[in-house]
Amino acid sequence: MRILLTGSSGWLGSALAPLLRRLGHDVTGLDPVPSAETLIVGSIANRDLVMRAVGENRIEAIIHCGALHKPNIDSHANSDFIAANVQGTLNLLDAAVLPMCNGSSSRQRPR
């Protein structure tokens, strides 16, 4: 299965990516921080990037491990939390209903 893994440079994502590959999955990592597990460097808050990542990589499933959380409080503005945790999650949900992600022939949900 072709999987988009957000937070691929983080603690959970960097451990999950190799496990998924060992299980036979094709993993595309997405994270704002470069790492060995991150193919796409960027933010899930960037809707165009998320949609392009899903479409160009023919993603079939999304595992969402990317978020800002308590350790990031001192180094990020409140708006960064909203962008990543709210808008980013919404972008991923919208991408998940695209036909190439869920195998559905139904129309994309309007924005």
Side-chain angles (χ1 to χ4, degrees):
M1 180 171 285
R2 290 180 301 274
I3 298 172
L4 178 66
L5 175 64
T6 69
S8 55
S9 296
W11 183 83
L12 179 58
S14 64
L16 191 54
L19 172 64
L20 290 167
R21 285 190 187 96
R22 281 194 303 273
L23 293 172
H25 300 289
D26 181 12
V27 178
T28 300
L30 175 99
D31 199 291
V33 178
S35 79
E37 301 300 342
T38 300
L39 178 66
I40 302 170
V41 177
S43 172
I44 57 173
N46 181 335
R47 180 182 178 82
D48 291 336
L49 176 68
V50 170
M51 296 302 176
R52 206 168 44 252
V54 169
E56 290 176 1
N57 294 285
R58 301 179 337 181
I59 297 299
E60 299 170 294
I62 298 171
I63 299 177
H64 181 28
C65 299
L68 290 176
H69 52 103
K70 191 173 181 177
N72 306 115
I73 289 174
D74 292 336
S75 60
H76 289 79
N78 289 344
S79 58
D80 295 336
F81 282 80
I82 300 299
N85 298 349
V86 178
Q87 187 60 52
T89 301
L90 178 60
N91 292 341
L92 292 165
L93 289 169
D94 284 345
V97 300
L98 293 175
M100 76 284 274
C101 190
N102 66 15
S104 169
S105 61
S106 63
R107 295 182 318 162
Q108 181 178 352
R109 187 171 63 88
R111 292 185 202 180

